[in-house]
Amino acid sequence: MRTIAVLGCGNMGGAIIRGIASGREKIANIKVYDKDLSKVEAICDETGCISCSSEIDAVNGYEVVFIAVKPDMVRKLLGEIKDACKGKIIVSIAAGVNVYTFLDILGHNAKVVRTIPNLPAVVGEGLAGLFFHNVSDEDKVYVERLFSSFGKTVTVYKEEQIDEMIAVTSSSPAYICMFVEALADGAVRAGFNRDDAYKMALQTIYGTAKLMLEKNIHPAVLKDQVCSPGGTTIEGVAVLEKAGFRNAVLEAMTAVSDKVKVLSKG
């Protein structure tokens, strides 16, 4: 069985730890470190992982190291653990921190995996983009297996696509939440109580996504199935098109991508 160290147990680090630790099949022994030691103790009590009191303690003797700290903390952390990282697979979830940053500190032979997971990983329904550098095929399969324990994966072959995925998968839960709120507000205006309004909105979005995934239905096909000729739904679709619904989403994604580019240069 392989061994992994997770440095940082915030929302995403915690989701990774819980996802791997709670899988049907135990695929790793896990050590955990965070500067907030109360978080470490809490998540280790919950999952049975090994708590560590320092970054070095977590990394020593372990094969895979997850960097799950905020992007502005990555360089400092790497400087502290670089001597203990030789030969290990470094998996980063830090947005905007490119592979060159890791190679610059750890050396050009470093094995680096840049990833972009998203918040639904907390409930085992995440989507993670993976970009591999200097990683063997066998190790790629193992990393994919780790991420598959809390969702699905997409492997990309150009690093810049990891940054582009932020707008598609990492930021989009916020847009979806805004859509849920709008649907719920409309239901409340129609006379439903707030709890039922959110239940209706969330279940409809969840059910629609599940239907498209399980039946492999293209969204345009499903939309056309819902829009009866001369019916009610097509009237709502027409209003959304007139209001620039699609374009607003596209513009939001462009804004996210532009911001990522600024952060990656800084």
Side-chain angles (χ1 to χ4, degrees):
M1 184 181 301
R2 293 207 184 186
T3 52
I4 68 173
V6 181
L7 306 182
C9 52
N11 286 336
M12 283 311 312
I16 289 168
I17 294 163
R18 291 184 182 93
I20 297 171
S22 64
R24 294 179 185 175
E25 179 186 1
K26 188 169 182 180
I27 56 176
N29 289 318
I30 306 170
K31 289 200 292 188
V32 180
Y33 172 76
D34 190 283
K35 64 180 182 179
D36 185 342
L37 295 179
S38 64
K39 285 185 178 180
V40 176
E41 293 302 327
I43 200 163
C44 288
D45 286 345
E46 176 189 341
T47 61
C49 296
I50 302 168
S51 63
C52 298
S53 57
S54 72
E55 300 96 331
I56 297 297
D57 180 26
V59 173
N60 276 340
Y62 272 41
E63 303 165 81
V64 182
V65 179
F66 275 77
I67 306 296
V69 299
K70 294 184 183 299
D72 61 355
M73 298 171 60
V74 170
R75 279 190 171 273
K76 181 175 183 295
L77 175 61
L78 292 177
E80 292 170 348
I81 64 173
K82 64 180 181 180
D83 291 335
C85 285
K86 292 179 180 178
K88 302 181 191 297
I89 304 167
I90 310 300
V91 182
S92 169
I93 69 168
V97 182
N98 59 32
V99 166
Y100 178 78
T101 299
F102 291 85
L103 302 182
D104 184 46
I105 298 171
L106 302 178
H108 289 279
N109 291 323
K111 304 172 186 177
V112 182
V113 186
R114 266 199 72 191
T115 75
I116 290 293
N118 63 2
L119 198 56
V122 171
V123 292
E125 293 293 347
L127 189 290
L130 306 175
F131 173 76
F132 298 97
H133 181 84
N134 284 344
V135 179
S136 70
D137 289 343
E138 180 182 355
D139 288 337
K140 287 178 184 178
V141 170
Y142 181 69
V143 171
E144 288 170 351
R145 191 176 170 200
L146 289 174
F147 278 89
S148 294
S149 65
F150 48 88
K152 293 180 171 58
T153 66
V154 172
T155 298
V156 301
Y157 300 95
K158 295 180 180 179
E159 185 181 359
E160 55 266 30
Q161 288 182 304
I162 286 291
D163 291 330
E164 294 299 336
M165 281 189 71
I166 294 173
V168 184
T169 60
S170 296
S171 297
S172 58
Y175 323 149
I176 294 167
C177 288
M178 293 172 71
F179 184 48
V180 168
E181 286 188 317
L183 286 175
D185 285 346
V188 170
R189 185 168 67 176
F192 294 95
N193 67 56
R194 181 62 66 174
D195 286 346
D196 285 345
Y198 278 121
K199 184 186 296 182
M200 289 187 290
L202 287 167
Q203 181 60 34
T204 301
I205 290 172
Y206 172 77
T208 303
K210 187 174 183 180
L211 176 59
M212 286 190 289
L213 284 168
E214 292 190 0
K215 300 297 184 181
N216 195 27
I217 301 174
H218 191 283
V221 172
L222 184 55
K223 183 206 71 177
D224 288 350
Q225 290 175 355
V226 178
C227 292
S228 302
T232 55
T233 304
I234 193 63
E235 295 298 326
V237 169
V239 170
L240 289 174
E241 292 286 16
K242 184 177 180 180
F245 181 73
R246 293 173 193 253
N247 187 62
V249 174
L250 292 171
E251 289 294 319
M253 293 173 68
T254 298
V256 170
S257 294
D258 289 346
K259 183 67 172 181
V260 171
K261 291 171 185 174
V262 171
L263 292 174
S264 62
K265 290 178 181 177

